Amino acid sequence: MIYHPYLPLLQLQLVAVFDIVSGCIGITLCRGNYQLPITKKANHSDATGFNMRVIFDKMKFMGSVMPTIDMTFPLWGLAIFILWTIAIVILLLAVRIRHLSAGGSVKDFATQNDESLLWRLFRVQSNLVENLPLYIGVVFLLTVRGVSGIAVDSLVVVYIVFRLIHSAIHIAGIDPTFRLLSLVIQLVCLVALTVLAIF
């Protein structure tokens, strides 16, 4: 069996057997060709009969066998993407609350009007949610394959920068042509990163 340091969970199987009658909990952790049995007497069980100490020991063991991964450019890009999406959601919420407090209707939220900040923010938020899985998939490929380098880092920076520019153009209501150009650049970056990850 091949062990890949980035995918320990693929080779780590957890089988928990709870013996209610004897009051014992047997936990066996199997990884690769190893067998690491951990069995403890359930002297300090809670109301459900589960020994919490055994559960905590199991979690500590799993944490010790799973290697940590340093933050790379793709991962930093993912963190920025997620934070930006959260910021847009908060901004959209604030604008909606202000709209309602000014006597507006909830029906206005779904009204397609490029002149409305409400609608533009909604479209930006939807666009971010639609594109986030694509970038997560690319980051997953790069991480699992262990691909890195100047080319990868540069493409990630360009992608994230134009991802933010795309949102800013949309929010400001600037000419959609610039938004389209930004989208094309992002797609090129994603395709290039995918190719680098695969080949």
Side-chain angles (χ1 to χ4, degrees), residues 32 57 110:
D57 288 345

Side-chain angles (χ1 to χ4, degrees), residues 3-195:
Y3 174 69
H4 195 292
Y6 295 120
L7 290 175
L9 292 181
L10 291 181
Q11 297 170 311
L12 185 63
Q13 299 176 344
L14 176 65
V15 181
V17 181
F18 299 95
D19 191 344
I20 304 300
V21 178
S22 63
C24 294
I25 295 179
I27 296 177
T28 302
L29 294 172
C30 303
R31 171 167 165 250
N33 297 323
Y34 308 80
Q35 283 197 351
L36 302 174
I38 303 175
T39 307
K40 290 182 180 292
K41 191 71 175 179
N43 296 325
H44 303 288
S45 302
D46 59 10
T48 62
F50 294 101
N51 188 331
M52 297 308 296
R53 183 178 181 81
V54 175
I55 302 300
F56 290 143
D57 288 345
K58 173 194 68 174
M59 292 174 66
K60 286 173 62 178
F61 174 78
M62 291 182 67
S64 65
V65 299
M66 292 179 63
T68 58
I69 302 175
D70 293 333
M71 288 297 288
T72 59
F73 269 75
L75 290 175
W76 277 116
L78 180 59
I80 293 171
F81 200 140
I82 293 172
L83 290 173
W84 179 247
T85 303
I86 293 173
I88 293 299
V89 170
I90 293 174
L91 182 59
L92 175 60
L93 245 145
V95 172
R96 283 181 171 179
I97 292 173
R98 188 185 66 177
H99 178 75
L100 292 176
S101 63
S105 171
V106 176
K107 295 180 180 179
D108 297 334
F109 294 170
T111 303
Q112 298 186 19
N113 179 13
D114 289 334
E115 300 298 322
S116 170
L117 180 60
L118 262 176
W119 173 251
R120 295 200 303 272
L121 280 172
F122 173 73
R123 289 299 305 136
V124 169
Q125 178 255 336
S126 299
N127 189 261
L128 287 169
V129 171
E130 291 166 3
N131 283 273
L132 184 55
L134 291 175
Y135 184 66
I136 290 176
V138 171
V139 172
F140 177 77
L141 280 175
L142 292 169
T143 304
V144 169
R145 297 277 293 167
V147 178
S148 61
I150 297 176
V152 170
D153 295 347
S154 300
L155 286 169
V156 167
V157 170
V158 172
Y159 175 79
I160 294 300
V161 168
F162 277 93
R163 181 73 260 169
L164 300 179
I165 290 175
H166 184 275
S167 298
I169 292 173
H170 209 157
I171 294 173
I174 302 174
D175 188 349
T177 305
F178 296 108
R179 199 167 72 234
L180 177 61
L181 178 61
S182 172
L183 180 60
V184 170
I185 294 174
Q186 293 171 59
L187 290 176
V188 170
C189 289
L190 286 179
V191 172
L193 287 168
T194 303
V195 171

